Amino acid sequence: MCPRHTAPAPMTTHDNTSENLEIEQLAALFARARNGAFATLVLTGLVVLLLWGRVDAGALILWGVACGILEAVRIGLARKFREHVQSPGETIRWMYAALLPAAATGLLWGLPAIYLARVDSDWAMMTVFALPVAMMALAGVSYALNRTVHAVHILLVGAPSVVILLTRADADVQLAGVALAGLAMMSLYSGQLTAQRVRENLALRHATTELQARLRVIHDHIGSTTGVDRLVSFQSSHDPLTGLINRREFEKRLEAMLATPAGSGRRHAICYLDLDHLDMVNDTCGHRAGDAVLRQVAARLQTMVRGTDVLARMGGDQFTALLTDCNMDNARTVAESLREAVRQLRFPWEDHVFEVSTSVGIAAIDAGTSHFSDALSAAHAACLVAREDGGDRVRIFQSADLEHGHHHHLVRWMQKVREAVESSRFQLLVQDIVPINTRESHEHHGELLVRMLGEHGELVAPHTFLSAAERYNLMPAVDRWVIQRTFHALENHADALSSLDLCAINLSGQSLSDPGLLDYITDLLNSASIRAERLCFEITETVVVDNFESARAFIAALKRRGCRFALDDFGSGMSSYSYLKNLPVDYIKIDGSFVRGMLEDPIDRAVVESINQIGHELGMKTIAEFVESEEILRALAEVGVDYAQGTAIGEPRAVD
């Protein structure tokens, strides 16, 4: 049975940061209360001198002694609080220890006003007005660090005088009462702002201390290959954009759950979510706007699931939620709440306000689930059917969905990709890669990119057709088209490539496993008039790890011809530095997720620094991807990265 998700527990583990802030705020309160107590003792002496001979001496002495004892208690409490070690569980007790003296002080300082109300003279009314004003000023010193304590003190000090002045027949005295009430309200508001400012400063100090500690750990690890491996390995299990776990980690947890002993009777559910209109946001305002949408959606989804559930970003605009101990009826209820929560979000960006919806597919995990991929594929298939039916809806998996949904979707795109390959319906683009420090290098590189053209000549987003090309082993044909067109453009001195010293071509894992690819490239080099030194082949880190020996042999063979190689998306996969010593690559391309976040997240910056440092130690040049602003470019220059690529350098442009 899946509990109701309307009041979810936080996804993160509980920490005591808020309690520690309460303790520190109380410590500051008691410290200032001690100083305020000394000032109040001085004010008490002045009041006694001013009223001596005007009021009953016995009552005045009794009042003065009571004030002195109370201030001594406040000083003693401040010393006791400072000398004892507090824990989060004691904050309530110490709050009352601060609140009671504040209330007692307010009552004591309200008594003179009540006593003087019986005296019919101007000096008495002036005193009734002046005493609470003086105490309100002191309250800013003594109590303003805690809203409750400060409010109680101001109320008890000021209320008697305000009532007395407002009930007098004299209009001027009544006006003084109104003014005193206004001063009390201003004092309350000022106290609220002070308490908030102090808490924010304490929170900032906490964050700074934690950040310094994290940076010290990073600094300790930065010289250790093992430490850097652990750091990047942690980053590789989480999505840097949203902070959620990524597909790799989600599948690992899902597999571990299915590995629990059978017969436990536990039932779970997977919700697969696909945002319906994110492409419109990206096309209208760029990927920064799309990233902002993804972050907000992720934050909203986190509030809708329990701490025992698992929420992940699967890549692109897709998320999954693993609902533990949840039957299908309750899973559908949760899925509907997730869908509705996304639909109600609004995303303002510059002069646009976007709305997105999500299609949700649900699949069960029970005793009949043989492998985690079966459940994940089922949920994805149901999600595809929901999207093809119009989107913004929830669908529970049915066996026909595998045929109608996922398979139908991929087969349809497989046919389109095959037709595009046969009719050469692709477009070749290039994006500049420039040296950051022009005093050290003047080499101008460019990465060749491929876009598929639709039946009417429109550009098709890469992720739309690449998944089908990978599923049905069409990537070698696509890669060969890119290689052939690059050779053709270089031989014909295409304007877009004429100024480039190096042209980088991406190779997929399927192409690297193609035994005929090396001969294909070698034949082109033999027959073409271009220099091999102008070619650089990019292979992703994950592909290299999966095919290390074949990758090393492939690289060595083409490097003998003069070609260069780059390790792409480094940091996004296994991120082991150990194999780099035996991999003869010339460039390391730092994964863009770290580059894009290095201004806001010191961990991302530390990863960039560590990859750059290791690369230089191994004699390799480093290239930063996703450089989207001048600020990031300056930060990369400080780190010492060699090359930059991204929208801040230049958008991809057509080669043909």
Side-chain angles (χ1 to χ4, degrees):
M1 188 70 177
C2 180
R4 291 178 62 86
H5 286 61
T6 53
M11 285 288 294
T12 56
T13 58
H14 177 69
D15 60 53
N16 60 354
T17 300
S18 59
E19 290 88 344
N20 288 336
L21 289 177
E22 292 293 343
I23 291 175
E24 292 200 23
Q25 194 163 3
L26 281 173
L29 172 66
F30 276 107
R32 292 186 64 167
R34 181 192 58 219
N35 299 332
F38 287 115
T40 304
L41 284 174
V42 174
L43 182 61
T44 301
L46 290 175
V47 171
V48 170
L49 289 176
L50 289 173
L51 295 182
W52 191 263
R54 296 175 182 266
V55 298
D56 181 72
L60 186 60
I61 292 172
L62 183 62
W63 177 81
V65 170
C67 287
I69 293 174
L70 186 56
E71 299 312 315
V73 170
R74 290 171 61 193
I75 295 171
L77 282 173
R79 182 179 294 110
K80 185 177 181 182
F81 186 92
R82 189 175 63 252
E83 292 174 353
H84 287 71
V85 178
Q86 285 76 42
S87 66
E90 296 179 317
T91 54
I92 297 298
R93 180 166 63 86
W94 282 101
M95 171 66 76
Y96 283 117
L99 184 60
L100 292 176
T105 301
L107 286 172
L108 273 178
W109 281 84
L111 289 178
I114 297 174
Y115 183 89
L116 293 173
R118 297 176 297 172
V119 180
D120 189 13
S121 66
D122 291 342
W123 71 264
M125 292 301 100
M126 290 177 61
T127 304
V128 169
F129 178 84
L131 286 181
V133 171
M135 284 304 296
M136 280 186 242
L138 283 179
V141 176
S142 303
Y143 299 116
L145 297 189
N146 186 280
R147 300 175 182 179
T148 304
V149 174
H150 183 254
V152 169
H153 180 73
I154 292 295
L155 179 64
L156 293 175
V157 166
S161 295
V162 170
V163 172
I164 291 168
L165 294 174
L166 290 177
T167 55
R168 291 287 175 169
D170 192 326
D172 291 337
V173 176
Q174 291 177 352
L175 185 61
V178 173
L180 183 60
L183 287 173
M185 295 298 294
M186 290 175 61
S187 180
L188 285 173
Y189 180 69
S190 175
Q192 301 290 308
L193 292 180
T194 302
Q196 180 179 353
R197 187 165 57 250
V198 168
R199 187 172 181 86
E200 289 173 351
N201 289 338
L202 290 173
L204 179 60
R205 190 171 70 185
H206 262 278
T208 303
T209 302
E210 180 184 356
L211 177 58
Q212 290 172 344
R214 292 169 69 190
L215 289 176
R216 280 196 297 272
V217 172
I218 294 168
H219 183 269
D220 292 341
H221 284 326
I222 212 71
S224 164
T225 300
T226 304
V228 174
D229 280 349
R230 287 198 301 266
L231 176 63
V232 181
S233 177
F234 172 80
Q235 289 288 326
S236 69
S237 67
H238 291 75
D239 173 45
L241 179 65
T242 62
L244 302 177
I245 64 172
N246 59 20
R247 173 186 283 271
R248 183 193 299 267
E249 182 66 17
F250 181 81
E251 291 179 348
K252 185 186 300 182
R253 296 189 188 186
L254 189 56
E255 186 175 22
M257 176 173 288
L258 287 176
T260 56
S264 61
R266 299 178 67 187
R267 299 189 64 191
H268 317 291
I270 292 181
C271 292
Y272 202 108
L273 297 86
D274 193 344
L275 301 184
D276 295 325
H277 306 299
L278 188 63
D279 287 345
M280 180 181 67
V281 179
N282 289 329
D283 293 343
T284 305
C285 294
H287 287 278
R288 291 184 63 191
D291 290 347
V293 171
L294 289 169
R295 281 192 292 266
Q296 291 186 52
V297 168
R300 185 69 181 103
L301 293 177
Q302 281 184 290
T303 67
M304 304 296 293
V305 296
R306 302 163 298 166
T308 55
D309 299 330
V310 181
L311 183 65
R313 182 186 175 205
M314 302 300 280
D317 52 4
Q318 297 176 347
F319 299 85
T320 52
L322 174 59
L323 310 178
T324 59
D325 298 309
C326 191
N327 62 40
M328 293 305 290
D329 290 337
N330 285 300
R332 185 180 186 96
T333 301
V334 175
E336 288 287 358
S337 68
L338 296 176
R339 181 196 60 78
E340 183 63 23
V342 173
R343 192 177 66 83
Q344 291 180 357
L345 289 175
R346 299 294 182 270
F347 307 98
W349 186 268
E350 296 175 349
D351 56 344
H352 300 274
V353 178
F354 294 102
E355 300 178 15
V356 297
S357 59
T358 184
S359 302
V360 187
I362 312 173
I365 301 177
D366 50 29
T369 305
S370 59
H371 194 266
F372 75 88
S373 61
D374 296 337
L376 198 57
S377 296
H380 189 201
C383 177
L384 287 173
V385 174
R387 186 166 186 173
E388 289 187 358
D389 287 346
D392 193 24
R393 65 194 64 209
V394 173
R395 181 179 177 86
I396 295 178
F397 171 72
Q398 301 174 16
S399 57
D401 290 349
L402 284 174
E403 181 68 26
H404 177 71
H406 185 62
H407 182 70
H408 176 72
H409 174 79
L410 291 178
V411 166
R412 185 179 61 192
W413 275 104
M414 178 269 291
Q415 294 169 344
K416 291 184 177 182
V417 174
R418 183 168 289 161
E419 291 172 1
V421 170
E422 292 172 353
S423 59
S424 192
R425 203 168 63 243
F426 291 101
Q427 184 178 30
L428 194 64
L429 298 95
V430 63
Q431 186 173 32
D432 290 329
I433 303 173
V434 301
I436 297 177
N437 187 347
T438 55
R439 292 194 299 270
E440 296 184 0
S441 174
H442 296 283
E443 266 197 345
H444 189 182
H445 302 185
E447 179 181 359
L448 279 304
L449 308 171
V450 63
R451 296 292 184 266
M452 179 177 157
L453 298 176
E455 296 176 0
H456 303 291
E458 72 279 7
L459 285 177
V460 178
H463 66 84
T464 305
F465 71 88
L466 287 179
S467 58
E470 291 172 353
R471 173 69 179 271
Y472 293 100
N473 203 34
L474 293 173
M475 282 307 300
V478 176
D479 287 347
R480 289 190 182 209
W481 184 92
V482 174
I483 295 169
Q484 190 274 329
R485 293 301 297 176
T486 302
F487 272 78
H488 180 269
L490 287 171
E491 282 196 297
N492 288 275
H493 308 289
D495 291 340
L497 305 184
S498 60
S499 63
L500 299 182
D501 300 296
L502 196 67
C503 296
I505 301 172
N506 286 281
L507 295 179
S508 65
Q510 292 176 3
S511 292
L512 200 64
S513 302
D514 179 5
L517 180 65
L518 181 59
D519 291 338
Y520 178 77
I521 297 175
T522 302
D523 290 342
L524 286 175
L525 287 171
N526 291 335
S527 60
S529 59
I530 64 173
R531 294 183 297 110
E533 289 78 6
R534 292 191 69 187
L535 296 176
C536 178
F537 293 98
E538 294 188 3
I539 307 173
T540 64
E541 173 196 356
T542 305
V543 168
V544 170
V545 172
D546 293 340
N547 308 273
F548 184 73
E549 291 302 327
S550 60
R552 186 168 62 173
F554 182 88
I555 292 171
L558 287 179
K559 279 184 71 68
R560 286 194 292 268
R561 295 296 303 265
C563 299
R564 284 181 269 183
F565 278 82
L567 193 59
D568 199 9
D569 297 335
F570 191 81
S572 63
M574 300 301 293
S575 304
S576 173
Y577 291 92
S578 57
Y579 61 78
L580 281 178
K581 297 179 182 179
N582 301 310
L583 196 66
V585 298
D586 304 279
Y587 304 94
I588 298 178
K589 299 191 74 173
I590 304 170
D591 185 70
S593 60
F594 300 116
V595 176
R596 184 162 49 188
M598 65 182 296
L599 296 181
E600 293 81 19
D601 191 339
I603 302 297
D604 284 346
R605 182 179 177 115
V607 172
V608 173
E609 290 176 348
S610 67
I611 295 174
N612 184 67
Q613 178 183 341
I614 295 295
H616 287 171
E617 289 292 333
L618 294 173
M620 304 170 184
K621 298 291 186 180
T622 52
I623 302 172
E625 303 176 302
F626 284 87
V627 180
E628 298 177 343
S629 68
E630 290 295 329
E631 292 78 11
I632 292 178
L633 191 59
R634 284 194 291 270
L636 291 169
E638 294 173 3
V639 171
V641 175
D642 299 301
Y643 294 88
Q645 175 184 5
T647 55
I649 307 301
E651 296 282 353
R653 61 188 187 279
V655 172
D656 300 328

